[in-house]
Amino acid sequence: MEKTAKLVVNGKSYELPLVVGTEGEIALDISYLRSETGLITLDPGYANTGSCKSCITFMDGEKGILRYRGYPVEQLAEYSSFRETAYLLINGELPLENELNRFSVMLNDHSLVHEDMHHFFQNFPRRAHPMGILSSMVNALRAFYPEIPERSEEEEINITFTRLLSKVRTMAAMSYKISRGHKIVYPRHDLSYCANFLNMMFDSPVKPYVIDEDLVDALNVFWILHADHEQNCSTAAVRLVGSARVNLYAAISAGICALWGPLHGGANQSVVEMLQEIHDSGGNPAPFIARAKDRDDPFRLMGFGHRVYKTYDPRARIMEKTCNRVLKKLKIHDPLLDIAKRLEEVAVKDAYFIDHDLYPNVDFYSGIVLRAMGIPLNMFPVMFAIGRLPGWISQWKESMEDPKWKLHRPRQVYTGLQERDYVPLNKRG
Ligand code: ACO
């Protein structure tokens, strides 16, 4: 294969190096484009721009492949736990038994949130969205816990990562309890990562929560499927903000804000709201499909389409199976699931959706799983954020360790007015 590509501009030709990834992806290296040619590239939404080299997650949007550190997500969802997958993403390898045990002990040791932080929680207005609360609280962690100093020992770095993984889960459950006006439930030493979360969410002094292992399994799958997705919007936000060398908590907080949007992590909430709207309007998805196809209507079918997947999102299939399993176990008949299946059946056969490569994404069924677990609608994006945390941490770590690290600073093509003179106030108009 050629090692360079030729660019010809105004009759002058330039050689651009080609970079080949381990899965055969080829990229044009334009790092020296501006210094050598004076040109920049224009790529709105960065759809064709590789912002980094990464060895964490591989996805092939045409074939519907997703792998973390080389392991297919299907295998991890089947055999791994969220805790183990988090370890894998951050450390690069599956843990040995003693490493996993140590990681579990550390997660438990760091699960408590500083008592002074409780006051912050208590003072958010009752209607505050949990994503806003979570991003503020994660940022506030910096005031209570140290940053990772330069040249720190590996142990110190690991403690910071574990602290974040553990506390975010505790803070998410706390924000839910406070929003309900209920007593906070503290983490328990004897429970696993996922079981602990469910217990902190749903245990109450009047009705002790009984842990259902099938729900714990489903939560493990949900979080494994969300654990990383290479350079998506929120991860790109973590890397970009992190590139200014802010502390880890601030970078993760930025990621949470990006994830909040309905086109990204807020989509699971929007899907359920859309399905509910279809249900309330009589249950026929046809008018909604027609609206999604209408160019003059901004409405989109939520849970459909993806920037990278141009086929089924592999996570959507696993999520659908999990959804069926959870509803069967809990003996729930959710009319929204029937509507979702009808909607999918019609949409995937429709020429518009086929032509636009629009298939269900991970969010299409995930909301129904969360609903069955008893998670309230406005907590859905928070559930996504807890799942994505190992991905954000590992991507942040990789970017910090990159010897070719650079401050992220895109350029632009200016299309505004050319230079003109200032006009004093009394001479305007
Ligand atoms: N419903 C109807 N039409 C759609 C949809 C949809 N869900 N998604 C894309 N399209 C159409 C657009 O209208 C556009 O049509 P046109 O070319 O005829 O004008 C075309 O497909 C391309 O749309 P873009 O917005 O350019 O595609 P992009 O790759 O940027 O969009 C996105 C990806 C944002 C996810 C989009 O598919 C969408 O809005 N989906 C609904 C929201 C959603 O489910 N988000 C979750 C994504 S997964 C995740 O973050 C975990």
Side-chain angles (χ1 to χ4, degrees), residues 263-264 267 292 295 300-307 310 352 356 358 361-363 384:
L263 295 189
H264 190 17
R295 279 178 176 275
R300 286 186 168 196
L301 220 49
M302 300 314 285
F304 263 74
H306 196 275
R307 173 60 64 79
K310 298 304 164 200
Y352 173 91
H356 285 76
L358 298 170
N361 59 47
V362 66
D363 294 314
F384 191 154

Side-chain angles (χ1 to χ4, degrees), residues 65-198:
I65 294 174
L66 174 62
R67 296 181 204 135
Y68 303 154
R69 302 284 190 183
Y71 295 104
V73 74
E74 291 82 358
Q75 289 182 22
L76 292 169
E78 178 95 29
Y79 305 116
S80 184
S81 65
F82 177 62
R83 183 185 45 152
E84 185 183 67
T85 300
Y87 184 100
L88 168 71
L89 281 165
I90 295 169
N91 298 289
E93 291 296 340
L94 285 169
L96 300 173
E97 199 176 344
N98 64 327
E99 290 169 331
L100 188 59
N101 289 340
R102 171 144 176 68
F103 187 46
S104 305
V105 169
M106 278 168 72
L107 283 168
N108 274 333
D109 284 352
H110 291 282
S111 58
L112 280 174
V113 168
H114 198 294
E115 285 293 319
D116 287 351
M117 287 191 90
H118 291 205
H119 304 303
F120 282 41
F121 275 104
Q122 303 287 3
N123 288 312
F124 277 103
R126 281 277 178 268
R127 289 218 193 131
H129 195 288
M131 279 298 259
I133 299 180
L134 189 66
S135 66
S136 316
M137 296 310 291
V138 168
N139 215 347
L141 280 173
R142 173 61 195 88
F144 292 88
Y145 302 98
E147 272 186 52
I148 302 176
E150 264 185 61
R151 283 190 290 280
S152 357
E153 296 293 319
E154 204 178 323
E155 180 70 1
E156 213 169 347
I157 300 173
N158 286 338
I159 287 177
T160 305
F161 293 160
T162 317
R163 178 185 288 135
L164 195 50
L165 283 168
S166 194
K167 289 195 194 322
V168 162
R169 172 199 55 173
T170 307
M171 292 193 303
M174 273 172 76
S175 62
Y176 168 65
K177 282 294 192 192
I178 288 169
S179 73
R180 301 285 311 267
H182 289 176
K183 195 171 180 305
I184 287 167
V185 176
Y186 282 86
R188 269 173 43 188
H189 217 267
D190 58 327
L191 294 179
S192 68
Y193 189 91
C194 293
N196 229 329
F197 175 76
L198 290 172

Side-chain angles (χ1 to χ4, degrees), residues 47 226 229 232 259 261-268 270-271 289 291-293 295 299-310 313 315 352-353 356-358 361-364 384 388:
H226 287 82
H229 218 217
N232 57 87
L259 190 74
L263 295 189
H264 190 17
N268 51 16
S270 309
V271 170
I289 293 180
R291 281 187 63 195
K293 289 158 53 171
R295 279 178 176 275
F299 175 79
R300 286 186 168 196
L301 220 49
M302 300 314 285
F304 263 74
H306 196 275
R307 173 60 64 79
V308 180
Y309 294 122
K310 298 304 164 200
D313 177 339
R315 303 166 301 172
Y352 173 91
F353 290 88
H356 285 76
D357 299 320
L358 298 170
N361 59 47
V362 66
D363 294 314
F364 195 62
F384 191 154
R388 183 54 53 89

